[in-house]
Amino acid sequence: MYDVIIIGAGVTGCSIAREISKYKVSACVVEKEEDVCCGTSKANSAIMHAGFDAAEGSLMARLNVRGSEMIETLATNLEIPFIRNGSLVVCTNEEDLPKLQDLYQRGIANGVKDLVVLNREESVRLEPNLSDQVLGSLYAPTAGIICPFTMTFAFAENASQNGVEFKFNTIVENIHKRNGCYEVKTNHGILETKYVVNAAGVYADVVHNMVSRDKMKITARRGEYCLLDKSAGSHVSKTIFALPGKYGKGVLVAPTVHGNLIIGPTAADIEDKEGTNTTGAGLEELLQKAGNTVKNLPLRQTITSFAGLRAHEDHHEFIIKEAEDSSGFIDAAGMESPGLTSAPAVGEMVVDIIKNTFQMEKKTDYIAVRKGIIHADGLTVEERNELIKRKPEYGNIICRCEMISEGEILDAIHRPLGAKSLDGVKRRVRAGAGRCQAGFCTPKTMEILSRELHIPMEDIVKSGVEAKVVIGKNRAAK
Amino acid sequence: MSVEKRDLICIGCPVGCNLTVTLESGSVMKVEGNTCPKGDTYARKEVTNPTRIVTSTVEVVGGSRPFISVKTKNDIPKEKIFECMEEIKKVKVTSPVHIGDVIIENVAGTGISIVSTKNA
Amino acid sequence: MENYDIVVIGGGPAGLAAAASAKENGCERILILERDNELGGILNQCIHNGFGLHTFKEELTGPEYADRFIKKVTELGIEYRLHTMVMDISEDKVVTAMNRERGLFTILAKAVILAMGCRERPRGALNIPGYRPAGIFSAGTAQRLINIEGYMPGKEVVILGSGDIGLIMARRMTLEGARVKVVAELLPFSGGLKRNIVQCLDDYNIPLKLRHTVVDIDGKERLKGVTLAQVGEDGKPIKETEEYIPCDTLLLSVGLIPENELSNACKIKMEPVTSGPLVNESLETSISGIFACGNVLHVHDLVDYVSEEAALAGKNAVKYISAMETDPSDTEKKQAEPIQLVATEGVRYTVPAVINLNKMEDSLIVRFRVGNVFQDSYISVYYDEERVMHRKKKIMAPGEMEEIKLQRDKLIQFKNLRTITVKIERE
């Protein structure tokens, strides 16, 4: 019997897991994929929003601002790459200029600091590559960019370090309340728990509706992105937004924390909760819209495109509360933008909700820091050589595009909740995330995974149990 | 007396000359379009008894890599290619192997051997 | 910091030939740095034949061709380090490299020869829509998996791109028991050698669909199928021609890109059409003493020409070093304005791009590629405004590198020669 079961190991679930791990309770995260960070958390804009966009007085606004405040300390303690690069919401139509003022006022009311409205000249001085149609902008210095993978892994590893269990490839099939506690029926048996936290992303409605009569509806809203080579990474230095519209914040152009340039997302509501495919029309729309706000985008430098699904709830607001007709069942649902930014604050809030009915004792031995994976290429020559003397694997480059060594890949595999797949390695240490898109390093990374995890090459997957990279040894085709 | 003209691309070397072969009742009368004698030889063979060099890999034990590359020492009849592949698939050699070493003596009854093209 | 006369970056066919040539031309302290666990570069996985016809008058497989040069390098006693990744080159020719045994180390070189080869264009660069499942490989990665690691990428295959690598892999996978359903090619003509169409596609009844591309990828975890469509004159897919092809493997042979990360790091001037360094008649880049050859300079079709080009680079690196030793301020170089080579009207680029007459040997091979298929057309060369060469060629295609030979004595006769233009003329 657990005290708390958290459904979903995305950034929301892992943040909650981390917060709960500060207390002397037994907790378990149940995740349907084979790894942490496999849903929305791996395919988003990677933006830490300033908080002016969310409706005044909304939960989104409050948690966004709180998350934005918390992230600096978290980034330091948990070694999450984070840069407070600032953002510009640009206006390209004369009649829309008042909307900049509206956003500004909303931001002030939401508690966002240092906001300022700029004219065209001031905007272009900050960002020379703004398009010729830009008439003015709202500048938010507190906005930032982050690595969403590391953020999720960091929360998860820290939670795991502090005693939280993780069960992967475990799908929740049904949930029953029996004798004051919950029976969570999974494909690997029944788990019993006092509290259930629903952080199931685009499937949060499916999970919620297993328990509550007040039906929830989560719509998967697909967003397509293009990622550009690091040579395009300084095309803009701040995150450039267009004025928000009906479907959300619109297409942005931003540097990533790793030095690439990201363009996206589009917004299309879809039926299929697994519809993470990009579309010809979507990619075209993306590139056209991006050109409205930023000029001379070096689109030929595109290295990949991808799509992610946001969990959109009809009222466009987070649902973070105990189900009214089922005590002990807590939703953390509707986590579309600013879900990533708010995640640290959502963790706090959910734990507070649990505390209302469950007296949890705080741990005295809670480990607050996490050691990240050493980025060997960032060390000085002396530091690196010292490391290689102790661990020669750090002298063997596997991913040539990102200059990632075998040492880093071994760390990614062997640390708590380590990588078991090519994508797992990629999201932890960036091997395969560079301009050749794993063309060079795939066979090498496969060999390392096979050797370290003692599984045959034929069973190495890209991500997910079915995604085997090769079908067998030579001659296996017949 | 049936006269037939067939257009081929010579595979004798990377140039790929466009050849025209004139056949009469199945025998080659004339070859045109070649820029070297190899083209003539190729054309005559191709329309009567097409042959190919086959390259593949063979499992090796004790080398730095699990497979070494091999080839048919000379070209073999085209229709024997898959039979040749079946025999290659069954073979395992042990290091050391040198370029030119015979791996299979008479592959698929062609009289041609499979030789190593890699040192292991 | 170590000292070498010449550091060669890359131990593939270009690096090997350059090093051998440098040694044969009198240089003693040469070091080859190679990141793989053996010399030979990409040739190690090119197990098919077709190599060496010009160099050795024999048709060899890739590994055999590599072995000839590896033997030479060994016999000449040239030093090389394997498992060694070059991390950086500075403008003053300090090479920083790394391996497990030594860690990070630096070498001061008198001359550097860039021979890093090229990499493949990935799916992402084409923005092919759809899912991102396992089962999508660039043709070279699939080739490596089969020929070196010994693993089969899949069994129901579609190949996008009819360049040589795609064609060779069509045959390779078929011989290993896979079913290659179709090779799709965006352009109206194939980019590979005609012989490969015959012996890789026709031989196995694999259809080639020109003017076709992949417009969608199905399968969330492992590839399930792709949608092919014909493209119109504007290069855009025609929706009505869409066709779903079930498959578990998609091989991409959609372009090779010279690997110039290191060249960019030391700010060498690049040629935008080739994506390789701009070089002069000595194959020297914009940084004196740094030379480039092979696929890192421009993507070749025949390894024989790589070896030829690399030998020239090696020789010139040695010339450079002895010139530096006798005349450190390089006053000779400043004598005349270099002659610019202009590629236009059908010719996409030339290597070299400039010629210093006083450094040129008696003859110089200028290599170039055309941008389209030309039948019964002429390669025309102009010295300034005067046409000096008008050579008819039955057929020229983008997939086949061309060359012309310039004679130094003819160039000298031309007073104040400023430009040499290479173009294609219809008559």
Side-chain angles (χ1 to χ4, degrees):
Chain A
M1 167 85 102
Y2 292 100
D3 292 320
V4 183
I5 283 182
I6 300 163
I7 303 173
V11 72
T12 307
C14 292
S15 170
I16 297 166
R18 187 182 149 267
E19 287 293 337
I20 209 90
S21 77
K22 295 175 178 169
Y23 297 86
K24 292 181 185 167
V25 296
S26 64
C28 178
V29 176
V30 165
E31 165 58 50
K32 72 174 170 69
E33 302 293 344
E34 103 280 2
D35 196 358
V36 162
C37 194
C38 284
T40 310
S41 305
K42 71 150 168 59
N44 54 73
S45 317
I47 305 291
M48 292 301 281
H49 294 287
F52 49 77
D53 180 73
E56 211 180 304
S58 66
L59 187 57
M60 277 184 169
R62 199 180 93 220
L63 296 179
N64 182 156
V65 174
R66 175 74 187 130
S68 175
E69 281 168 11
M70 291 170 77
I71 195 63
E72 210 119 33
T73 313
L74 279 173
T76 310
N77 289 345
L78 301 178
E79 293 194 23
I80 306 169
F82 166 68
I83 302 173
R84 226 181 261 284
N85 65 324
S87 70
L88 292 177
V89 179
V90 302
C91 175
T92 51
N93 280 316
E94 196 72 48
E95 64 257 26
D96 284 338
L97 277 171
K99 291 198 187 139
L100 281 182
Q101 286 295 336
D102 291 341
L103 272 183
Y104 172 77
Q105 296 298 343
R106 204 190 302 164
I108 304 280
N110 286 341
V112 179
K113 300 198 171 61
D114 303 330
L115 284 171
V116 59
V117 176
L118 304 175
N119 63 26
R120 179 184 162 76
E121 203 197 309
E122 292 165 328
S123 308
V124 173
R125 209 180 309 134
L126 275 183
E127 284 294 353
N129 278 319
L130 288 180
S131 79
D132 298 330
Q133 297 98 281
V134 170
L135 300 169
S137 67
L138 173 68
Y139 174 36
T142 58
I145 52 179
I146 198 161
C147 176
F149 317 128
T150 311
M151 189 173 171
T152 311
F153 292 130
F155 289 160
E157 286 171 25
N158 190 230
S160 170
Q161 240 187 324
N162 286 296
V164 176
E165 268 180 68
F166 281 75
K167 290 188 194 298
F168 297 107
N169 296 312
T170 305
I171 303 170
V172 171
E173 292 167 349
N174 220 330
I175 305 176
H176 292 299
K177 191 151 190 204
R178 231 190 277 282
N179 303 325
C181 79
Y182 286 93
E183 276 182 11
V184 179
K185 182 168 180 287
T186 76
N187 58 335
H188 292 309
I190 296 178
L191 303 168
E192 288 180 337
T193 179
K194 294 204 195 85
Y195 289 84
V196 174
V197 176
N198 173 18
V202 293
Y203 286 98
D205 53 349
V206 173
V207 172
H208 173 95
N209 298 341
M210 288 175 186
V211 166
S212 171
R213 271 184 301 265
D214 305 319
K215 297 302 170 193
M216 184 192 279
K217 170 98 175 80
I218 298 288
T219 308
R221 182 164 285 174
R222 176 166 60 207
E224 302 186 38
Y225 295 87
C226 277
L227 194 67
L228 274 56
D229 191 289
K230 288 182 174 179
S231 59
S234 55
H235 194 71
V236 296
S237 63
K238 302 187 183 357
T239 303
I240 311 298
F241 291 99
L243 272 172
K246 193 171 117 195
Y247 282 92
K249 296 185 174 66
V251 171
L252 59 82
V253 177
T256 71
V257 84
H258 306 291
N260 297 92
L261 195 74
I262 187 167
I263 301 177
T266 51
D269 289 349
I270 60 171
E271 285 297 318
D272 181 8
K273 289 190 197 276
E274 295 291 323
T276 52
N277 49 320
T278 53
T279 62
L283 293 174
E284 227 180 281
E285 183 195 329
L286 191 58
L287 300 176
Q288 189 254 316
K289 284 201 169 131
N292 289 339
T293 55
V294 177
K295 65 180 176 189
N296 300 330
L297 279 166
L299 297 174
R300 287 194 67 208
Q301 303 291 328
T302 303
I303 61 174
T304 190
S305 48
F306 62 93
L309 304 177
R310 294 93 109 187
H312 170 73
E313 202 279 326
D314 288 337
H315 303 93
H316 186 54
E317 173 65 296
F318 295 154
I319 302 175
I320 306 176
K321 60 179 181 180
E322 202 169 18
E324 275 167 35
D325 58 352
S326 200
S327 61
F329 182 90
I330 300 155
D331 287 306
M335 304 304 297
E336 61 181 328
S337 183
L340 185 73
T341 316
S342 309
V346 172
E348 274 183 341
M349 184 170 175
V350 168
V351 168
D352 282 342
I353 293 172
I354 296 177
K355 276 202 223 161
N356 284 336
T357 51
F358 185 28
Q359 215 169 359
M360 299 191 287
E361 200 188 323
K362 253 210 154 157
K363 281 183 183 154
T364 47
D365 57 349
Y366 169 72
I367 307 163
V369 244
R370 161 206 181 248
K371 220 108 210 26
I373 300 177
I374 298 172
H375 182 51
D377 206 39
L379 301 173
T380 64
V381 174
E382 294 76 26
E383 285 171 337
R384 185 149 202 177
N385 279 334
E386 203 276 317
L387 180 60
I388 293 173
K389 262 204 202 76
R390 284 187 291 116
K391 297 185 177 179
E393 321 72 84
Y394 282 93
N396 180 23
I397 296 286
I398 301 295
C399 166
R400 157 248 6 245
C401 296
E402 297 285 311
M403 285 298 184
I404 306 299
S405 71
E406 185 181 357
E408 292 149 86
I409 297 176
L410 291 176
D411 188 348
I413 294 171
H414 291 299
R415 59 178 36 224
L417 307 178
K420 305 176 206 90
S421 63
L422 291 178
D423 280 355
V425 169
K426 176 171 78 170
R427 291 176 202 143
R428 286 168 176 77
V429 289
R430 296 200 46 86
R435 56 179 63 98
C436 90
Q437 287 291 288
F440 176 74
C441 62
T442 290
K444 296 172 190 278
T445 308
M446 285 176 73
E447 251 173 55
I448 297 172
L449 279 166
S450 172
R451 183 187 76 211
E452 299 295 316
L453 297 176
H454 307 293
I455 54 184
M457 285 279 275
E458 301 95 296
D459 290 343
I460 301 293
V461 294
K462 180 178 181 286
S463 100
V465 177
E466 300 295 317
K468 299 208 167 55
V469 181
V470 294
I471 60 164
K473 293 207 163 77
N474 278 357
R475 292 69 257 225
K478 270 260 146 81
Chain B
M1 276 266 282
S2 59
V3 177
E4 189 199 335
K5 270 194 187 233
R6 258 197 251 173
D7 284 329
L8 309 167
I9 293 180
C10 180
I11 63 167
C13 88
V15 172
C17 295
N18 290 301
L19 308 173
T20 309
V21 182
T22 312
L23 296 124
E24 220 176 270
S25 306
S27 300
V28 177
M29 294 288 111
K30 182 162 61 160
V31 174
E32 296 161 292
N34 53 310
T35 57
C36 84
K38 276 224 267 161
D40 185 277
T41 317
Y42 169 76
R44 289 172 192 277
K45 241 169 141 194
E46 187 67 4
V47 299
T48 53
N49 172 31
T51 60
R52 297 285 185 268
I53 301 251
V54 177
T55 56
S56 184
T57 54
V58 149
E59 237 184 299
V60 64
V61 178
S64 61
R65 292 247 149 89
F67 283 84
I68 51 157
S69 48
V70 299
K71 70 178 183 190
T72 52
K73 195 158 187 229
N74 284 304
D75 37 322
I76 64 169
K78 210 168 134 184
E79 71 261 14
K80 289 278 189 173
I81 292 178
F82 282 100
E83 203 185 316
C84 167
M85 283 301 299
E86 286 305 308
E87 285 192 29
I88 289 176
K89 286 172 190 183
K90 298 199 182 96
V91 171
K92 216 184 256 201
V93 294
T94 316
S95 173
V97 185
H98 299 107
I99 293 178
D101 285 358
V102 173
I103 308 290
I104 302 175
E105 268 293 342
N106 164 16
V107 73
T110 60
I112 311 280
S113 3
I114 301 288
V115 296
S116 168
T117 55
K118 189 111 175 86
N119 298 320
Chain C
M1 177 136 76
E2 302 176 75
N3 286 283
Y4 278 85
D5 290 336
I6 297 179
V7 172
V8 180
I9 308 190
L16 293 171
S21 164
K23 190 84 200 278
E24 282 163 348
N25 277 280
C27 183
E28 282 300 326
R29 298 263 303 154
I30 304 169
L31 177 65
I32 302 175
L33 298 175
E34 166 57 47
R35 69 181 173 204
D36 209 340
N37 72 345
E38 52 180 347
L39 295 173
I42 204 72
L43 290 177
N44 288 320
Q45 65 186 60
C46 296
I47 64 160
H48 51 282
N49 65 333
F51 303 90
L53 202 63
H54 296 259
T55 317
F56 301 111
K57 306 282 180 281
E58 292 176 64
E59 268 217 11
L60 303 172
T61 60
E64 286 170 308
Y65 188 95
D67 184 67
R68 301 283 171 101
F69 283 89
I70 295 169
K71 271 208 178 64
K72 212 177 191 195
V73 158
T74 318
E75 277 157 18
L76 289 168
I78 298 173
E79 258 184 271
Y80 58 89
R81 288 178 202 171
L82 301 174
H83 290 291
T84 302
M85 181 71 84
V86 174
M87 314 287 283
D88 187 53
I89 314 172
S90 74
E91 288 177 55
D92 40 9
K93 299 189 270 294
V94 172
V95 176
T96 306
M98 184 172 80
N99 61 32
R100 294 169 58 109
E101 294 76 32
R102 293 165 190 259
L104 269 167
F105 58 94
T106 50
I107 304 171
L108 177 59
K110 293 192 180 145
V112 174
I113 301 180
L114 306 174
M116 296 87 81
C118 60
R119 63 183 158 86
E120 296 178 280
R121 181 170 281 119
R123 169 226 180 141
L126 300 181
N127 257 345
I128 302 177
Y131 285 92
R132 294 161 302 289
I136 302 175
F137 304 88
S138 54
T141 306
Q143 189 180 53
R144 188 173 172 112
L145 277 169
I146 300 182
N147 294 340
I148 308 270
E149 325 284 331
Y151 290 93
M152 201 51 187
K155 54 182 174 346
E156 305 274 316
V157 187
V158 168
I159 300 180
L160 177 61
S162 65
D164 286 319
I165 309 177
L167 300 178
I168 291 290
M169 285 312 292
R171 178 177 65 184
R172 186 78 186 99
M173 295 210 64
T174 306
L175 289 180
E176 286 292 333
R179 205 177 129 225
V180 178
K181 296 187 164 185
V182 65
V183 174
E185 165 59 54
L186 181 71
L187 297 176
F189 48 83
S190 160
L193 298 170
K194 285 189 299 251
R195 77 186 305 204
N196 285 332
I197 305 280
V198 175
Q199 58 189 4
C200 300
L201 299 189
D202 296 343
D203 274 6
Y204 303 98
N205 293 317
I206 298 170
L208 170 64
K209 289 200 170 172
L210 297 175
R211 284 197 198 276
H212 274 72
T213 193
V214 174
V215 295
D216 194 35
I217 292 178
D218 182 32
K220 188 153 176 174
E221 300 207 344
R222 174 84 200 197
L223 185 65
K224 283 211 189 95
V226 300
T227 305
L228 286 191
Q230 206 176 323
V231 295
E233 291 289 332
D234 57 355
K236 293 222 148 60
I238 304 169
K239 195 143 175 65
E240 297 74 36
T241 65
E242 281 182 9
E243 186 194 347
Y244 183 82
I245 306 199
C247 58
D248 69 359
T249 308
L250 173 65
L251 294 193
L252 302 173
S253 170
V254 292
L256 295 173
I257 304 165
E259 251 204 78
N260 279 290
E261 270 80 354
L262 291 173
S263 319
N264 285 321
C266 57
K267 307 215 181 24
I268 285 173
K269 279 209 191 73
M270 305 296 286
E271 213 286 342
V273 179
T274 57
S275 297
L278 265 166
V279 294
N280 61 20
E281 75 301 318
S282 309
L283 299 180
E284 193 181 26
T285 66
S286 58
I287 296 182
S288 13
I290 300 186
F291 298 79
C293 55
N295 279 349
V296 80
L297 176 56
H298 57 150
V299 175
H300 286 254
D301 321 302
L302 295 185
V303 73
D304 302 86
Y305 297 149
V306 166
S307 303
E308 220 179 86
E309 191 175 75
L312 185 62
K315 183 176 183 191
N316 287 323
V318 178
K319 267 165 81 174
Y320 166 83
I321 293 173
S322 43
M324 280 293 114
E325 266 149 21
T326 53
D327 176 22
S329 62
D330 199 21
T331 45
E332 215 202 315
K333 188 167 185 182
K334 297 177 182 111
Q335 261 166 22
E337 266 293 311
I339 303 169
Q340 300 292 328
L341 273 90
V342 177
T344 185
E345 288 173 50
V347 174
R348 292 192 65 231
Y349 72 87
T350 66
V351 166
V354 299
I355 296 176
N356 294 294
L357 217 43
N358 56 341
K359 292 256 169 91
M360 183 181 157
E361 303 215 334
D362 289 339
S363 65
L364 173 71
I365 293 179
V366 173
R367 297 197 161 92
F368 62 93
R369 282 189 191 272
V370 297
N372 230 319
V373 176
F374 292 98
Q375 289 189 25
D376 295 319
S377 302
Y378 297 80
I379 299 175
S380 301
V381 180
Y382 287 74
Y383 289 176
D384 284 336
E385 306 302 311
E386 191 182 316
R387 188 166 79 185
V388 298
M389 192 191 302
H390 190 62
R391 193 201 314 158
K392 189 161 188 188
K393 273 214 91 173
K394 197 153 195 275
I395 186 142
M396 285 181 279
E400 281 156 42
M401 195 180 279
E402 298 286 345
E403 62 183 54
I404 52 167
K405 207 171 200 178
L406 301 179
Q407 302 294 349
R408 186 167 187 267
D409 52 10
K410 296 263 170 12
L411 289 174
I412 286 185
Q413 284 167 20
F414 229 82
K415 280 267 175 292
N416 298 317
L417 178 56
R418 309 305 305 280
T419 64
I420 297 176
T421 306
V422 186
K423 59 163 96 165
I424 306 302
E425 288 178 337
R426 301 311 180 118
E427 53 203 15

